[in-house]
Each structure stands twice: as C-alpha cells, then as structure tokens.
Amino acid sequence: MDPVQLYSFKVWLTMLIFAPLLQTSAGQILFHQGDILSFEFIKNYPINVGVLLVVTAPLGALLTFSISRLSRYTEVPQLKQKVTIAIAITTVLVFVGAVIPNGNSPLTLSVMILPYTLSLTIGVWLCNLDLGQYDDEEGEELDEPTS
C-alpha cells in the first residue's frame, strides 16, 4: 500500500478515535454534562465512532488527496506544516461561519469543533510518514529488467 495513503488513513483514524473522547471530556469539564466513565458513554462510543466514520468520509478522502499531492513536491516536515496550516485555516473558517449567522456561544462552538482539530493535528504530527522508503521501493521497481 502507498505509504502516503496509509499515513492519511492513520491521521483520519486518529481523529475518529480521539475526537469523541476529547469532546466528551471538554463538555464534562466546562459544562458539567456527561461522564466519560459512565456506562452510557461506553455503550454509545462505538456508535459515535461509526457515525463519524460515515460523516467524515469526505474529509478522509480530501485528506488523502491533498497529502498525496503535497508529498510529491515537499519533504515530510514541510508537508506536515502545510497540512497543519490547512487544518487551522479550515477550523477558523468553520468557527467564524458558525458564530456569525447563528450567534452561537464561542465556548460551545469551541467544545464542538476544537476536539476534531486537535486530534487531526496530533495525528498529523505523531503518525510516521517515511517518503524515503517509498522512493527506494519505486527505484527498485524501475531497475528490474522486464522480460
């Protein structure tokens, strides 16, 4: 499998797994609602991840497309920086778009949006992307004689 696609998949899965935990923890700390250690949360967690899997599938596809395009022209640290900047810009646009027309509380929106941004950013920086290994494999395939 292409290492860039595998990396993108890992980043997306990191968001799917950790965002509900962060969101519930933030809601519990700031609004005193929900309990991360309750049976109800444990029972609903797989359902929440399943819904996120379906709802964020376009995000996963966009992430895979953009990271594979960026990996052709940049090195790994610059790629991670550019993806992080893109995530930050998207978060700001979504946040501003949600605050202005509806007049929602910025704190409530922060609890709804920032766990996803934080878990995506953590996934970008913690998951390993080794483009050098991929380049070596491509070189070996090109060097093989054809019959």
Side-chain angles (χ1 to χ4, degrees):
M1 182 175 205
D2 184 11
V4 175
Q5 291 177 352
L6 185 62
Y7 170 77
S8 302
F9 187 68
K10 287 179 186 177
V11 169
W12 182 55
L13 281 179
T14 302
M15 183 205 60
L16 288 176
I17 292 169
F18 291 112
L21 295 171
L22 292 172
Q23 193 172 35
T24 303
S25 299
Q28 182 181 5
I29 292 169
L30 297 174
F31 303 120
H32 304 292
Q33 54 182 239
D35 186 9
I36 199 161
L37 296 176
S38 71
F39 178 72
E40 191 69 27
F41 174 77
I42 294 169
K43 183 178 79 172
N44 291 332
Y45 181 75
I47 296 169
N48 291 340
V49 171
V51 169
L52 279 176
L53 181 74
V54 173
V55 171
T56 63
L59 173 68
L62 179 66
L63 194 65
T64 302
F65 176 76
S66 60
I67 289 176
S68 55
R69 293 287 180 202
L70 280 172
S71 69
R72 295 180 185 172
Y73 307 110
T74 60
E75 296 296 320
V76 174
Q78 290 83 18
L79 179 129
K80 289 183 176 190
Q81 288 173 351
K82 289 179 181 182
V83 171
T84 302
I85 290 169
I87 291 169
I89 290 170
T90 304
T91 301
V92 168
L93 292 175
V94 168
F95 190 81
V96 169
V99 168
I100 292 176
N102 298 332
N104 292 326
S105 163
L107 184 61
T108 304
L109 285 174
S110 295
V111 169
M112 290 185 337
I113 296 172
L114 291 181
Y116 298 96
T117 303
L118 183 62
S119 59
L120 267 176
T121 306
I122 288 171
V124 166
W125 288 98
L126 287 183
C127 293
N128 187 19
L129 176 60
D130 188 12
L131 293 177
Q133 175 187 359
Y134 182 61
D135 292 338
D136 293 341
E137 289 174 5
E138 282 183 350
E140 290 174 5
E141 289 175 4
L142 293 175
D143 292 340
E144 292 178 4
T146 56
S147 312

